[in-house]
Amino acid sequence: MEEKQEEAAAVTNMENHLKKIVIFMCVFAFAKAHAQTAQEETKAYKKRVLETTEVDFLTSYYSQDGDNAAVSGGIGTEELTDVTGTFIVSIPLNDDDVLTIDAGVSAYTSASSSNVGPFDDGLADPFQASSGASSSDLWANITGSYSHSSDDRNDIWSTKLSISSEYDYFSLGVGGSYTKLFNEKNTEISVNGNVYIDTWNAIYPTELRPFGEGGAGLSDRLFTQNTITGNTNYNPRFTAFDSEGRNSYSVGFGLSQILHKKVQGSLALDFVQQDGLLSTPFQRVYFSDIADSFIDNFQLADAVERLPDSRFKVAAGGRLNWYLNETVTVRTFYRYYFDDWGITSHTASIEVPVKITNKFTLYPSYRFYNQTAADYFNTYESALSTDEFYTSDYDLSEYSANQFGFGVSYTDIFAKAHLWQFGLKSIDLKFYQYDRDTTFSSSIITAGFKFVMD
Protein backbone atom coordinates (compact mmCIF):
# COMPACT_ATOMS: atom_id res chain seq x y z
CA MET A 1 0.00 0.00 0.00
CA GLU A 2 2.79 2.38 0.88
CA GLU A 3 4.56 1.54 -2.37
CA LYS A 4 1.44 2.46 -4.36
CA GLN A 5 1.14 5.74 -2.46
CA GLU A 6 4.83 6.55 -3.16
CA GLU A 7 4.38 5.74 -6.87
CA ALA A 8 1.30 7.96 -7.02
CA ALA A 9 3.20 10.78 -5.28
CA ALA A 10 6.10 10.39 -7.71
CA VAL A 11 3.76 10.57 -10.70
CA THR A 12 2.08 13.66 -9.27
CA ASN A 13 5.50 15.22 -8.66
CA MET A 14 6.58 14.55 -12.23
CA GLU A 15 3.35 15.99 -13.59
CA ASN A 16 3.94 19.15 -11.57
CA HIS A 17 7.50 19.45 -12.99
CA LEU A 18 6.21 18.91 -16.52
CA LYS A 19 3.55 21.56 -15.99
CA LYS A 20 6.22 24.01 -14.79
CA ILE A 21 8.42 23.25 -17.80
CA VAL A 22 5.50 23.69 -20.20
CA ILE A 23 4.49 26.97 -18.53
CA PHE A 24 8.11 28.21 -18.66
CA MET A 25 8.43 27.32 -22.34
CA CYS A 26 5.14 29.05 -23.10
CA VAL A 27 6.22 32.18 -21.24
CA PHE A 28 9.63 32.15 -22.98
CA ALA A 29 8.05 31.66 -26.40
CA PHE A 30 5.56 34.47 -25.73
CA ALA A 31 8.30 36.81 -24.50
CA LYS A 32 10.46 36.07 -27.51
CA ALA A 33 7.57 36.58 -29.91
CA HIS A 34 6.65 39.82 -28.16
CA ALA A 35 10.23 41.10 -28.32
CA GLN A 36 10.51 40.20 -32.00
CA THR A 37 7.22 41.93 -32.74
CA ALA A 38 8.40 45.02 -30.84
CA GLN A 39 11.63 45.07 -32.85
CA GLU A 40 9.73 44.72 -36.11
CA GLU A 41 7.34 47.47 -35.09
CA THR A 42 10.26 49.71 -34.11
CA LYS A 43 11.94 49.02 -37.42
CA ALA A 44 8.71 49.47 -39.33
CA TYR A 45 8.00 52.82 -37.69
CA LYS A 46 11.49 54.31 -37.60
CA LYS A 47 11.62 57.95 -38.64
CA ARG A 48 12.09 58.43 -42.36
CA VAL A 49 15.00 60.53 -43.59
CA LEU A 50 12.55 62.51 -45.71
CA GLU A 51 8.86 62.23 -44.91
CA THR A 52 7.48 63.25 -48.30
CA THR A 53 8.49 64.64 -51.68
CA GLU A 54 9.81 68.21 -51.54
CA VAL A 55 10.10 70.66 -54.43
CA ASP A 56 12.20 73.84 -54.34
CA PHE A 57 11.95 76.51 -56.98
CA LEU A 58 14.81 79.03 -56.96
CA THR A 59 15.18 82.08 -59.16
CA SER A 60 17.48 85.10 -59.29
CA TYR A 61 18.20 88.26 -61.22
CA TYR A 62 21.86 89.37 -61.33
CA SER A 63 23.34 92.60 -62.68
CA GLN A 64 26.94 93.85 -62.81
CA ASP A 65 29.00 96.67 -64.27
CA GLY A 66 32.58 97.91 -64.30
CA ASP A 67 35.37 99.23 -66.53
CA ASN A 68 37.95 96.43 -66.50
CA ALA A 69 36.65 93.81 -68.92
CA ALA A 70 39.02 90.88 -69.46
CA VAL A 71 37.53 90.35 -72.93
CA SER A 72 39.04 93.67 -73.98
CA GLY A 73 42.35 93.39 -72.14
CA GLY A 74 41.50 95.04 -68.80
CA ILE A 75 39.54 98.01 -70.16
CA GLY A 76 35.95 98.35 -71.33
CA THR A 77 32.50 97.64 -70.03
CA GLU A 78 31.79 94.68 -67.76
CA GLU A 79 28.04 95.14 -68.02
CA LEU A 80 26.10 91.88 -67.71
CA THR A 81 22.65 90.71 -66.65
CA ASP A 82 21.66 87.16 -65.83
CA VAL A 83 18.36 85.44 -65.01
CA THR A 84 18.27 81.94 -63.54
CA GLY A 85 15.62 79.40 -62.70
CA THR A 86 16.18 76.11 -60.85
CA PHE A 87 13.98 73.24 -59.72
CA ILE A 88 15.17 70.87 -56.99
CA VAL A 89 13.03 67.78 -56.42
CA SER A 90 13.82 65.52 -53.45
CA ILE A 91 12.05 62.14 -53.50
CA PRO A 92 12.09 59.62 -50.61
CA LEU A 93 12.60 56.17 -52.15
CA ASN A 94 12.04 54.45 -48.80
CA ASP A 95 12.80 55.11 -45.13
CA ASP A 96 16.55 55.41 -45.74
CA ASP A 97 17.14 56.57 -49.32
CA VAL A 98 16.54 59.90 -51.05
CA LEU A 99 16.89 60.78 -54.73
CA THR A 100 17.38 64.46 -55.60
CA ILE A 101 17.16 65.99 -59.07
CA ASP A 102 18.52 69.52 -59.51
CA ALA A 103 17.86 71.11 -62.91
CA GLY A 104 18.41 74.73 -63.86
CA VAL A 105 18.98 77.20 -66.67
CA SER A 106 20.72 80.56 -66.73
CA ALA A 107 20.29 83.12 -69.50
CA TYR A 108 22.62 86.10 -69.69
CA THR A 109 23.15 89.16 -71.83
CA SER A 110 26.67 90.58 -71.72
CA ALA A 111 28.05 93.76 -73.24
CA SER A 112 31.51 92.54 -72.27
CA SER A 113 31.45 89.12 -73.93
CA SER A 114 29.76 90.62 -77.00
CA ASN A 115 33.13 92.22 -77.72
CA VAL A 116 34.68 88.85 -78.54
CA GLY A 117 33.57 90.02 -81.98
CA PRO A 118 33.28 93.83 -81.71
CA PHE A 119 33.30 94.54 -85.46
CA ASP A 120 29.92 93.06 -86.30
CA ASP A 121 28.10 96.37 -86.64
CA GLY A 122 28.49 100.09 -86.04
CA LEU A 123 31.50 101.69 -84.39
CA ALA A 124 33.69 99.21 -82.50
CA ASP A 125 34.37 100.43 -78.95
CA PRO A 126 35.37 98.49 -75.79
CA PHE A 127 32.86 100.50 -73.74
CA GLN A 128 29.97 99.71 -76.08
CA ALA A 129 28.18 96.40 -76.62
CA SER A 130 28.34 94.62 -79.96
CA SER A 131 25.44 92.65 -81.44
CA GLY A 132 27.64 89.61 -82.07
CA ALA A 133 26.63 86.02 -81.30
CA SER A 134 28.58 86.07 -78.04
CA SER A 135 26.43 88.87 -76.59
CA SER A 136 24.08 86.33 -74.97
CA ASP A 137 24.08 82.69 -74.00
CA LEU A 138 22.13 79.98 -72.22
CA TRP A 139 23.69 77.74 -69.56
CA ALA A 140 21.90 74.53 -68.55
CA ASN A 141 22.66 72.05 -65.79
CA ILE A 142 21.16 68.88 -64.38
CA THR A 143 22.45 67.04 -61.32
CA GLY A 144 21.19 63.80 -59.87
CA SER A 145 22.19 62.73 -56.36
CA TYR A 146 21.38 59.71 -54.22
CA SER A 147 21.85 59.44 -50.45
CA HIS A 148 21.50 56.51 -48.05
CA SER A 149 21.28 56.70 -44.25
CA SER A 150 21.89 53.85 -41.84
CA ASP A 151 19.10 52.64 -39.54
CA ASP A 152 20.49 54.60 -36.60
CA ARG A 153 21.02 57.67 -38.86
CA ASN A 154 24.67 57.88 -37.81
CA ASP A 155 26.10 57.03 -41.25
CA ILE A 156 25.19 58.81 -44.48
CA TRP A 157 26.54 57.95 -47.92
CA SER A 158 25.82 59.99 -51.05
CA THR A 159 26.80 60.08 -54.69
CA LYS A 160 26.02 62.46 -57.56
CA LEU A 161 26.31 62.93 -61.31
CA SER A 162 26.09 66.31 -63.05
CA ILE A 163 26.07 67.62 -66.62
CA SER A 164 26.23 71.26 -67.68
CA SER A 165 26.61 72.98 -71.02
CA GLU A 166 26.80 76.37 -72.68
CA TYR A 167 27.83 77.59 -76.13
CA ASP A 168 31.59 77.14 -75.65
CA TYR A 169 31.79 74.78 -72.68
CA PHE A 170 30.67 71.30 -71.60
CA SER A 171 31.17 69.74 -68.18
CA LEU A 172 30.61 66.26 -66.73
CA GLY A 173 31.01 65.73 -63.00
CA VAL A 174 30.81 62.87 -60.53
CA GLY A 175 31.16 62.96 -56.76
CA GLY A 176 30.42 61.31 -53.47
CA SER A 177 30.53 61.88 -49.72
CA TYR A 178 30.41 60.05 -46.40
CA THR A 179 29.21 61.54 -43.10
CA LYS A 180 29.55 59.97 -39.64
CA LEU A 181 27.66 61.18 -36.56
CA PHE A 182 28.59 60.07 -33.06
CA ASN A 183 28.75 61.32 -29.47
CA GLU A 184 24.92 61.19 -29.40
CA LYS A 185 24.90 63.08 -32.71
CA ASN A 186 26.74 66.02 -31.15
CA THR A 187 29.77 65.43 -33.37
CA GLU A 188 29.84 65.04 -37.13
CA ILE A 189 32.73 64.30 -39.48
CA SER A 190 32.54 64.14 -43.25
CA VAL A 191 34.65 63.59 -46.34
CA ASN A 192 33.72 64.34 -49.93
CA GLY A 193 35.32 64.07 -53.34
CA ASN A 194 34.44 65.36 -56.82
CA VAL A 195 35.80 65.01 -60.34
CA TYR A 196 34.86 67.31 -63.23
CA ILE A 197 35.82 66.60 -66.83
CA ASP A 198 35.38 69.77 -68.89
CA THR A 199 35.82 70.58 -72.56
CA TRP A 200 36.15 73.99 -74.18
CA ASN A 201 34.94 74.79 -77.68
CA ALA A 202 37.60 77.48 -77.91
CA ILE A 203 36.39 80.77 -79.36
CA TYR A 204 39.06 83.41 -79.99
CA PRO A 205 38.81 87.18 -80.56
CA THR A 206 37.71 87.95 -84.10
CA GLU A 207 40.91 89.77 -85.15
CA LEU A 208 43.16 86.86 -84.08
CA ARG A 209 41.41 84.10 -86.02
CA PRO A 210 42.96 85.05 -89.41
CA PHE A 211 46.42 84.52 -87.85
CA GLY A 212 45.75 80.93 -86.85
CA GLU A 213 46.92 77.96 -88.87
CA GLY A 214 45.71 78.29 -92.46
CA GLY A 215 44.44 81.82 -91.88
CA ALA A 216 44.73 84.69 -94.37
CA GLY A 217 46.42 87.14 -91.98
CA LEU A 218 46.10 90.78 -93.02
CA SER A 219 44.50 89.61 -96.27
CA ASP A 220 41.38 88.57 -94.39
CA ARG A 221 38.23 90.55 -95.21
CA LEU A 222 38.13 91.96 -91.66
CA PHE A 223 41.25 93.96 -92.45
CA THR A 224 40.58 94.64 -96.12
CA GLN A 225 37.13 96.04 -95.35
CA ASN A 226 38.25 98.05 -92.32
CA THR A 227 41.06 100.54 -91.83
CA ILE A 228 43.79 99.76 -89.30
CA THR A 229 45.10 102.84 -87.51
CA GLY A 230 48.11 103.22 -85.25
CA ASN A 231 50.51 100.36 -85.97
CA THR A 232 49.32 99.30 -89.44
CA ASN A 233 51.74 96.36 -89.50
CA TYR A 234 49.51 94.35 -87.16
CA ASN A 235 51.15 91.02 -86.30
CA PRO A 236 49.77 89.47 -83.10
CA ARG A 237 51.35 86.67 -81.04
CA PHE A 238 48.77 83.98 -81.57
CA THR A 239 48.68 80.20 -81.59
CA ALA A 240 45.56 78.19 -80.90
CA PHE A 241 45.63 76.05 -77.76
CA ASP A 242 46.71 72.46 -78.38
CA SER A 243 44.24 70.96 -75.94
CA GLU A 244 40.76 72.15 -75.03
CA GLY A 245 40.17 69.86 -72.05
CA ARG A 246 40.25 70.67 -68.34
CA ASN A 247 40.02 68.28 -65.40
CA SER A 248 39.31 69.27 -61.80
CA TYR A 249 39.72 67.02 -58.76
CA SER A 250 38.66 68.02 -55.26
CA VAL A 251 38.56 66.46 -51.82
CA GLY A 252 37.15 68.03 -48.69
CA PHE A 253 37.00 67.24 -44.98
CA GLY A 254 34.55 68.58 -42.44
CA LEU A 255 34.08 68.54 -38.67
CA SER A 256 31.00 69.87 -36.89
CA GLN A 257 30.58 69.98 -33.10
CA ILE A 258 27.85 71.12 -30.77
CA LEU A 259 29.91 73.03 -28.22
CA HIS A 260 27.04 74.13 -26.02
CA LYS A 261 23.27 73.91 -26.15
CA LYS A 262 23.36 77.33 -27.83
CA VAL A 263 26.66 77.17 -29.73
CA GLN A 264 27.69 75.07 -32.73
CA GLY A 265 31.01 75.20 -34.56
CA SER A 266 32.39 73.60 -37.72
CA LEU A 267 35.70 73.38 -39.59
CA ALA A 268 36.34 72.60 -43.26
CA LEU A 269 39.46 71.86 -45.30
CA ASP A 270 39.35 71.59 -49.09
CA PHE A 271 41.93 70.73 -51.74
CA VAL A 272 41.48 71.26 -55.50
CA GLN A 273 43.78 70.22 -58.34
CA GLN A 274 43.10 71.50 -61.86
CA ASP A 275 44.85 70.43 -65.05
CA GLY A 276 44.43 71.35 -68.70
CA LEU A 277 43.21 74.53 -70.39
CA LEU A 278 42.89 77.01 -67.51
CA SER A 279 43.11 80.07 -69.77
CA THR A 280 39.98 81.67 -71.19
CA PRO A 281 40.51 81.67 -74.97
CA PHE A 282 38.59 84.87 -75.76
CA GLN A 283 40.24 87.16 -73.15
CA ARG A 284 42.65 89.62 -74.76
CA VAL A 285 46.04 90.86 -73.54
CA TYR A 286 47.92 93.99 -74.69
CA PHE A 287 51.74 94.18 -74.47
CA SER A 288 53.56 97.34 -73.42
CA ASP A 289 56.45 96.71 -75.85
CA ILE A 290 54.31 96.42 -78.99
CA ALA A 291 52.77 99.43 -80.75
CA ASP A 292 48.98 99.65 -80.64
CA SER A 293 46.76 98.82 -83.61
CA PHE A 294 43.09 99.85 -83.87
CA ILE A 295 39.96 99.37 -85.92
CA ASP A 296 37.63 102.23 -85.06
CA ASN A 297 38.02 102.79 -81.29
CA PHE A 298 38.81 99.15 -80.55
CA GLN A 299 42.38 98.11 -79.88
CA LEU A 300 43.36 94.88 -81.64
CA ALA A 301 44.61 92.11 -79.37
CA ASP A 302 48.33 91.40 -79.12
CA ALA A 303 47.58 87.93 -77.68
CA VAL A 304 45.04 85.95 -75.67
CA GLU A 305 45.37 85.16 -72.00
CA ARG A 306 48.03 82.50 -71.28
CA LEU A 307 48.08 80.78 -67.89
CA PRO A 308 49.79 77.62 -66.58
CA ASP A 309 48.07 74.32 -67.34
CA SER A 310 47.86 73.31 -63.68
CA ARG A 311 46.64 74.93 -60.49
CA PHE A 312 46.51 73.70 -56.90
CA LYS A 313 44.13 75.35 -54.42
CA VAL A 314 43.74 75.03 -50.65
CA ALA A 315 40.95 76.52 -48.53
CA ALA A 316 40.49 76.22 -44.77
CA GLY A 317 37.64 77.77 -42.85
CA GLY A 318 35.25 77.58 -39.98
CA ARG A 319 31.77 78.56 -38.84
CA LEU A 320 30.48 79.50 -35.40
CA ASN A 321 26.73 79.80 -34.84
CA TRP A 322 25.39 81.19 -31.58
CA TYR A 323 21.72 80.90 -30.64
CA LEU A 324 21.30 83.92 -28.38
CA ASN A 325 17.60 83.49 -27.66
CA GLU A 326 14.34 82.67 -29.38
CA THR A 327 14.60 85.88 -31.39
CA VAL A 328 18.24 86.35 -32.43
CA THR A 329 20.93 84.00 -33.80
CA VAL A 330 24.46 84.99 -34.85
CA ARG A 331 26.16 83.09 -37.69
CA THR A 332 29.83 83.80 -38.41
CA PHE A 333 32.21 82.44 -41.05
CA TYR A 334 35.91 82.75 -41.89
CA ARG A 335 37.98 81.18 -44.68
CA TYR A 336 41.66 81.38 -45.66
CA TYR A 337 42.64 80.45 -49.22
CA PHE A 338 45.88 80.13 -51.18
CA ASP A 339 47.01 78.60 -54.46
CA ASP A 340 50.21 78.06 -56.43
CA TRP A 341 49.43 81.00 -58.73
CA GLY A 342 50.30 83.41 -55.94
CA ILE A 343 46.80 84.29 -54.73
CA THR A 344 45.99 84.36 -51.03
CA SER A 345 42.64 85.53 -49.73
CA HIS A 346 40.61 86.09 -46.58
CA THR A 347 36.83 85.87 -46.35
CA ALA A 348 34.83 86.85 -43.28
CA SER A 349 31.07 87.12 -42.95
CA ILE A 350 28.33 87.53 -40.38
CA GLU A 351 24.59 86.96 -40.60
CA VAL A 352 22.13 87.77 -37.82
CA PRO A 353 18.73 86.12 -38.34
CA VAL A 354 16.05 87.92 -36.33
CA LYS A 355 12.78 86.08 -35.81
CA ILE A 356 10.09 88.74 -35.63
CA THR A 357 7.08 86.36 -35.54
CA ASN A 358 6.50 82.62 -35.59
CA LYS A 359 6.46 82.74 -39.38
CA PHE A 360 8.73 85.64 -40.38
CA THR A 361 12.52 85.99 -40.00
CA LEU A 362 14.80 88.81 -41.17
CA TYR A 363 18.35 88.11 -42.42
CA PRO A 364 20.77 91.08 -42.40
CA SER A 365 24.31 90.08 -43.42
CA TYR A 366 27.78 91.42 -44.25
CA ARG A 367 30.72 89.79 -46.05
CA PHE A 368 34.30 91.05 -46.48
CA TYR A 369 36.77 89.65 -49.01
CA ASN A 370 40.40 90.50 -49.75
CA GLN A 371 42.92 88.85 -52.09
CA THR A 372 46.42 89.34 -53.47
CA ALA A 373 47.10 89.33 -57.21
CA ALA A 374 48.09 86.25 -59.17
CA ASP A 375 51.72 86.13 -60.28
CA TYR A 376 50.60 86.42 -63.91
CA PHE A 377 48.20 89.35 -63.59
CA ASN A 378 48.96 92.52 -65.54
CA THR A 379 46.92 95.67 -65.87
CA TYR A 380 46.11 97.04 -69.30
CA GLU A 381 49.29 97.24 -71.45
CA SER A 382 51.70 96.25 -68.68
CA ALA A 383 52.56 92.69 -69.81
CA LEU A 384 55.61 92.07 -72.00
CA SER A 385 55.66 90.01 -75.17
CA THR A 386 58.58 88.05 -73.69
CA ASP A 387 56.50 86.88 -70.69
CA GLU A 388 55.57 83.20 -70.62
CA PHE A 389 52.23 83.73 -68.86
CA TYR A 390 49.96 86.78 -68.72
CA THR A 391 46.38 87.82 -68.02
CA SER A 392 44.44 91.06 -67.55
CA ASP A 393 41.47 89.40 -65.85
CA TYR A 394 40.70 91.53 -62.79
CA ASP A 395 39.27 88.48 -61.02
CA LEU A 396 42.96 87.58 -60.60
CA SER A 397 44.01 91.06 -59.49
CA GLU A 398 44.57 92.42 -56.00
CA TYR A 399 41.36 93.82 -54.56
CA SER A 400 39.05 94.08 -51.57
CA ALA A 401 35.28 93.74 -51.66
CA ASN A 402 32.30 94.36 -49.41
CA GLN A 403 28.92 92.73 -49.69
CA PHE A 404 25.82 93.80 -47.81
CA GLY A 405 22.73 91.66 -47.79
CA PHE A 406 19.21 91.60 -46.45
CA GLY A 407 16.59 88.90 -46.61
CA VAL A 408 13.21 87.87 -45.28
CA SER A 409 11.75 84.39 -44.98
CA TYR A 410 8.25 83.09 -44.39
CA THR A 411 7.81 79.61 -42.91
CA ASP A 412 4.63 77.62 -42.36
CA ILE A 413 5.42 74.19 -40.93
CA PHE A 414 1.82 73.13 -41.55
CA ALA A 415 1.98 74.19 -45.23
CA LYS A 416 -1.61 75.45 -45.28
CA ALA A 417 -1.31 77.28 -48.61
CA HIS A 418 -1.51 74.87 -51.56
CA LEU A 419 -0.55 74.63 -55.20
CA TRP A 420 -2.19 71.51 -56.64
CA GLN A 421 -1.07 68.62 -54.37
CA PHE A 422 1.77 70.59 -52.82
CA GLY A 423 1.71 72.69 -49.68
CA LEU A 424 3.80 75.85 -49.49
CA LYS A 425 6.26 75.40 -46.63
CA SER A 426 8.51 78.46 -46.99
CA ILE A 427 9.39 81.53 -49.07
CA ASP A 428 12.83 83.19 -49.01
CA LEU A 429 13.65 86.57 -50.56
CA LYS A 430 17.16 88.05 -50.42
CA PHE A 431 19.08 90.99 -51.88
CA TYR A 432 22.87 91.43 -52.00
CA GLN A 433 24.95 94.46 -53.04
CA TYR A 434 28.61 93.73 -53.87
CA ASP A 435 31.33 96.34 -54.43
CA ARG A 436 35.06 96.00 -55.14
CA ASP A 437 37.61 98.74 -54.64
CA THR A 438 38.09 98.64 -58.42
CA THR A 439 35.25 99.92 -60.61
CA PHE A 440 33.33 96.65 -60.37
CA SER A 441 29.95 96.34 -58.63
CA SER A 442 27.04 93.94 -58.77
CA SER A 443 23.67 93.21 -57.22
CA ILE A 444 21.50 90.13 -57.05
CA ILE A 445 17.93 89.40 -56.01
CA THR A 446 17.06 85.81 -55.17
CA ALA A 447 13.79 84.08 -54.38
CA GLY A 448 13.15 80.56 -53.16
CA PHE A 449 9.90 78.62 -52.70
CA LYS A 450 9.69 75.25 -50.93
CA PHE A 451 6.73 72.95 -51.47
CA VAL A 452 5.93 69.61 -49.79
CA MET A 453 3.60 66.96 -51.14
CA ASP A 454 0.52 66.26 -49.02
Side-chain angles (χ1 to χ4, degrees):
M1 187 71 176
E2 290 180 0
E3 289 180 357
K4 289 183 178 179
Q5 289 178 346
E6 289 176 358
E7 287 178 1
V11 170
T12 302
N13 223 8
M14 185 176 295
E15 289 177 349
N16 290 335
H17 280 300
L18 288 173
K19 287 180 181 178
K20 290 179 179 179
I21 291 172
V22 170
I23 292 172
F24 175 77
M25 291 179 66
C26 289
V27 171
F28 177 77
F30 176 78
K32 183 177 181 182
H34 179 74
Q36 184 174 351
T37 302
Q39 287 179 352
E40 290 176 352
E41 288 180 351
T42 301
K43 185 175 181 180
Y45 292 103
K46 67 182 176 182
K47 183 175 176 61
R48 294 165 66 91
V49 175
L50 184 65
E51 293 295 335
T52 185
T53 298
E54 295 184 351
V55 177
D56 290 89
F57 173 66
L58 311 175
T59 184
S60 67
Y61 175 79
Y62 172 84
S63 176
Q64 71 172 49
D65 204 356
D67 298 322
N68 301 113
V71 173
S72 45
I75 58 172
T77 179
E78 296 177 81
E79 184 180 355
L80 179 147
T81 59
D82 180 90
V83 179
T84 65
T86 302
F87 279 99
I88 304 173
V89 182
S90 300
I91 306 168
L93 303 178
N94 50 48
D95 289 350
D96 307 321
D97 303 320
V98 177
L99 175 67
T100 301
I101 305 297
D102 182 338
V105 294
S106 173
Y108 76 78
T109 301
S110 171
S112 172
S113 65
S114 73
N115 282 326
V116 172
F119 313 107
D120 295 321
D121 65 331
L123 182 70
D125 190 299
F127 291 94
Q128 299 295 324
S130 167
S131 62
S134 58
S135 62
S136 61
D137 189 26
L138 186 70
W139 173 89
N141 169 266
I142 184 167
T143 300
S145 61
Y146 165 83
S147 68
H148 171 78
S149 299
S150 61
D151 286 341
D152 61 7
R153 304 297 184 248
N154 286 331
D155 299 271
I156 305 169
W157 298 265
S158 71
T159 184
K160 70 176 182 179
L161 172 67
S162 68
I163 298 174
S164 60
S165 178
E166 55 185 312
Y167 82 104
D168 64 340
Y169 204 75
F170 178 82
S171 177
L172 174 66
V174 294
S177 67
Y178 170 68
T179 301
K180 176 69 175 180
L181 290 83
F182 54 95
N183 188 24
E184 298 183 348
K185 293 183 169 57
N186 289 320
T187 305
E188 176 183 311
I189 58 174
S190 63
V191 59
N192 66 82
N194 296 281
V195 177
Y196 290 94
I197 309 300
D198 306 334
T199 303
W200 286 93
N201 177 21
I203 297 175
Y204 300 99
T206 300
E207 69 271 28
L208 294 181
R209 298 171 198 171
F211 294 89
E213 185 176 354
L218 288 177
S219 299
D220 186 84
R221 54 185 281 176
L222 171 65
F223 304 111
T224 58
Q225 294 181 3
N226 292 278
T227 301
I228 298 178
T229 59
N231 176 19
T232 57
N233 188 27
Y234 178 57
N235 186 27
R237 177 182 175 179
F238 175 69
T239 304
F241 292 104
D242 295 330
S243 172
E244 296 185 352
R246 174 168 73 185
N247 301 332
S248 301
Y249 314 91
S250 67
V251 61
F253 304 91
L255 169 64
S256 178
Q257 177 66 48
I258 296 177
L259 303 171
H260 180 269
K261 65 180 181 179
K262 292 187 176 182
V263 181
Q264 180 183 25
S266 64
L267 298 172
L269 179 63
D270 296 286
F271 302 93
V272 178
Q273 175 66 46
Q274 293 182 297
D275 299 296
L277 180 54
L278 305 184
S279 307
T280 303
F282 53 76
Q283 294 188 169
R284 294 175 174 86
V285 170
Y286 300 115
F287 297 130
S288 61
D289 54 345
I290 292 180
D292 301 339
S293 300
F294 295 85
I295 290 180
D296 297 332
N297 294 332
F298 202 96
Q299 186 173 346
L300 305 181
D302 292 328
V304 295
E305 174 182 88
R306 292 276 174 175
L307 293 168
D309 59 6
S310 68
R311 187 178 187 184
F312 182 64
K313 308 176 183 180
V314 179
R319 297 181 182 275
L320 189 66
N321 298 336
W322 186 10
Y323 177 82
L324 295 179
N325 51 49
E326 293 182 354
T327 302
V328 180
T329 302
V330 178
R331 299 172 180 171
T332 61
F333 170 76
Y334 171 77
R335 184 185 67 180
Y336 173 72
Y337 165 93
F338 68 91
D339 62 32
D340 58 0
W341 284 10
I343 292 179
T344 61
S345 72
H346 301 271
T347 306
S349 68
I350 183 170
E351 184 180 59
V352 185
V354 180
K355 191 172 184 179
I356 55 176
T357 71
N358 288 334
K359 292 185 177 181
F360 288 93
T361 303
L362 304 180
Y363 291 88
S365 65
Y366 170 72
R367 176 179 179 270
F368 172 78
Y369 179 81
N370 170 266
Q371 76 170 36
T372 61
D375 297 335
Y376 320 110
F377 174 76
N378 298 274
T379 57
Y380 166 70
E381 282 205 325
S382 64
L384 296 173
S385 61
T386 53
D387 292 339
E388 182 180 7
F389 301 115
Y390 35 79
T391 178
S392 292
D393 184 348
Y394 270 70
D395 287 344
L396 300 177
S397 70
E398 178 182 2
Y399 68 85
S400 296
N402 296 280
Q403 177 179 279
F404 295 90
F406 184 80
V408 59
S409 72
Y410 165 84
T411 303
D412 179 8
I413 60 174
F414 300 108
K416 294 180 180 179
H418 281 73
L419 181 64
W420 296 302
Q421 299 181 19
F422 291 89
L424 178 60
K425 188 174 182 179
S426 66
I427 301 174
D428 292 283
L429 300 173
K430 292 185 178 180
F431 171 79
Y432 298 98
Q433 177 64 42
Y434 174 87
D435 294 286
R436 291 183 186 175
D437 57 3
T438 60
T439 61
F440 184 88
S441 65
S442 69
S443 60
I444 184 171
I445 300 173
T446 67
F449 305 84
K450 178 182 286 292
F451 297 89
V452 293
M453 180 176 285
D454 292 342

